Amino acid sequence: MLLELSSDQEIFRDTTARFLTSRVPISEVRSLRNHPAGFDPDYWREGAELGWTSLLVSEEHGGGSVSGGGLVDLTTIAHEFGVHAAPGPLVPTNVVAGTLSTFGGEAHRPVLESLLAGTSVAAWCFGPAVDTDGRGPAGPRCRIADGEVVLDGVQRPVEAAGQAHHILVTARAEGGLTQILVPTDTAGVSIEPMRTADLTRRFAAVTFDGVRLPVEALVGELGDADELLEYQLQLAVVIGNAEAVGALQTAFDMTLQWAFDRYSFGRPLASYQELKHRFADQKTWLEACHAVNDAAAAAVDDRSPDAKELVSAAKAFIGDYGSELVQDCVQIHGGIGVTFEHDLHLYLRRVTVNRALYGTPADHRQRISTVLENRKERA
């Protein structure tokens, strides 16, 4: 989240913070563990009314941002999601809504309107791995037959697939990567829930077995989705990073307070030199996590040429140092830090799952290396 918000952004962030505090306190987050969707539909609809799903959508289509930078504004919301370990398909719904606003046709407008209203959610069927070798992620394949799009294959994990009304699928066609908007009730679509460490988010394996759709289901042009997919990946990584940084902020604050409250041999834990050094390291990593993702969000909003490197640098840094930070918080708490009854694990789960989504830190370091090698060859 930006260190210095404008007054409008501050109001926007505070509104979401108050809403999450009242609607999904930690006790509610725990109870959602056994909820089939992980969130209540009314909660999501009311969140959409606050602007959660409209920031990447153009004003022409009913959206709009607070500052003119939709992704930057969205990171303030994602940060609060992390701070509160809040439920809801924030990443996939926003990625799909932003895509349909920019590249969707008239046939997609009703879907976009329902996403903006919060009456439906969407899943983004991206895949398990980012493109590190120039061939694109593995996944389903599609072809045109008898004037229809035919889709076959399996993709996993797909966030919110079981709750989604539509899935934006990336498939490999003869001409290249292609994206198709698939209603989840289409014949041939089957969704198998998967287990996850996060208590509120739901993931699934989605199988497409001879799924047939009209060509109007295509988003963008057939075989021309490479740049679109790259942009979507950048959006997803930045939003997920912001959420992870929010969770790290809460874990750090919680641990620091614990160190001042907990006494050992007549002194607060925070007074011991070794812990002071560890907190200094954690604070440095945390502020760097804030800064590196802010830079990435601004670059993506500006369509900067170095956006790809900055996004991958942010994912690699937050994935590595964020995981070390939250694990250190667990250790400083001692035995209580590994109990289910303590709240710390909620943030550990959020950070751990986000680290694995949309490419690991190693995947993103490889992306940076590929970009630099290509740039060197062109020089």
Side-chain angles (χ1 to χ4, degrees), residues 48-119:
E49 292 175 356
L50 297 178
W52 292 355
T53 59
S54 62
L55 295 167
L56 301 180
V57 176
S58 68
E59 293 185 6
E60 175 189 358
H61 296 137
S65 64
V66 176
S67 66
L71 181 58
V72 170
D73 294 339
L74 187 52
T75 60
T76 66
I77 302 304
H79 182 271
E80 291 305 316
F81 265 62
V83 166
H84 295 83
L90 189 70
V91 172
T93 296
N94 273 290
V95 169
V96 176
T99 300
L100 296 184
S101 174
T102 307
F103 300 96
E106 286 302 317
H108 302 128
R109 294 291 175 255
V111 177
L112 177 58
E113 291 172 3
S114 67
L115 296 179
L116 288 173
T119 54

Side-chain angles (χ1 to χ4, degrees), residues 124-131 137-139 155 157-158 168-170 229 233 358-359:
W124 179 48
C125 198
F126 166 65
V130 297
D131 177 12
Q155 195 63 285
V158 182
L168 182 59
V169 181
T170 301
L229 184 61
L233 176 63
Y358 316 125

Side-chain angles (χ1 to χ4, degrees), residues 15-16 19-20 23-24 39-54 81 87-90 93 113-122 163 165:
T15 302
T16 288
F19 177 80
L20 293 177
R23 288 299 305 270
V24 284
F39 64 93
D40 183 81
D42 287 339
Y43 152 82
W44 186 253
R45 181 181 51 76
E46 292 170 25
E49 292 175 356
L50 297 178
W52 292 355
T53 59
S54 62
F81 265 62
L90 189 70
T93 296
E113 291 172 3
S114 67
L115 296 179
L116 288 173
T119 54
S120 72
V121 300
Q163 295 73 48
H165 300 81

